[in-house]
Amino acid sequence: MKRNKLNNKVAIILGSNNDLKHAKPCVEILKKLKIKHEVLIVSAHRTPKRMFEFAESAEKKGFGVICAFAGMSAHLAGMVSSLTTLPVLGVPVESKKLKGLDSLLSMVMMPKGVPIGCLAIEGGFNAGLLAASIIGNYDEKIKSNLNKWRRLQTQSVKKKPR
Ligand code: RP5
């Protein structure tokens, strides 16, 4: 129970500085829902020790969800998930040559035993919303912010096309 009170932060980790633009929609919705978050560059293959340290300490640092953005042979989300039992949401980044299909398949086909929640290619906004749902399970304020946001979305849908 103690953990529930503390672990209300979302970590957004990027496989590369070049992934930052793809994570912007995630940051945007987390800000809107007033969810504490940190954005960090953690590359599975370029900074493996940093990745290890990040994953091992994430829970202690108050993170409740990890959103991992990576492209191409995108093993970041799976590798981080192998080192923590926090929920890890993987967002496949659109790559130049294969348009993100490489990233998607790398993430979505995690073998049995170490799961990640895989979003759509460029699904950063939904990753933020899903992170809010997870944190909302034990943080009433976030739950209420998310419910309000959903109500506004529903209200914004016109009955007739213009
Ligand atoms: C992955 O490889 C990153 O997530 C990035 O999407 C992709 C290409 O990285 P850069 O060469 O652009 O740094 O590690």
Side-chain angles (χ1 to χ4, degrees), residues 14-19 22 43-46 69-76 93-96 103:
L14 313 173
S16 160
N17 191 48
N18 293 328
D19 294 334
H22 305 280
S43 167
H45 52 274
R46 290 176 183 147
F69 288 74
M72 300 173 79
S73 174
H75 36 263
L76 179 62
V93 162
E94 185 174 346
S95 53
K96 277 196 191 113
S103 330

Side-chain angles (χ1 to χ4, degrees), residues 51-63 83 86:
M51 181 200 63
F52 191 90
E53 279 158 22
F54 163 78
E56 288 236 307
S57 62
E59 192 162 348
K60 236 185 298 165
K61 286 182 177 158
F63 292 114
L83 295 161
L86 287 175

Side-chain angles (χ1 to χ4, degrees), residues 82-100:
S82 75
L83 295 161
T84 176
T85 51
L86 287 175
V88 178
L89 307 180
V91 182
V93 162
E94 185 174 346
S95 53
K96 277 196 191 113
K97 292 208 164 73
L98 297 179
K99 306 290 172 214

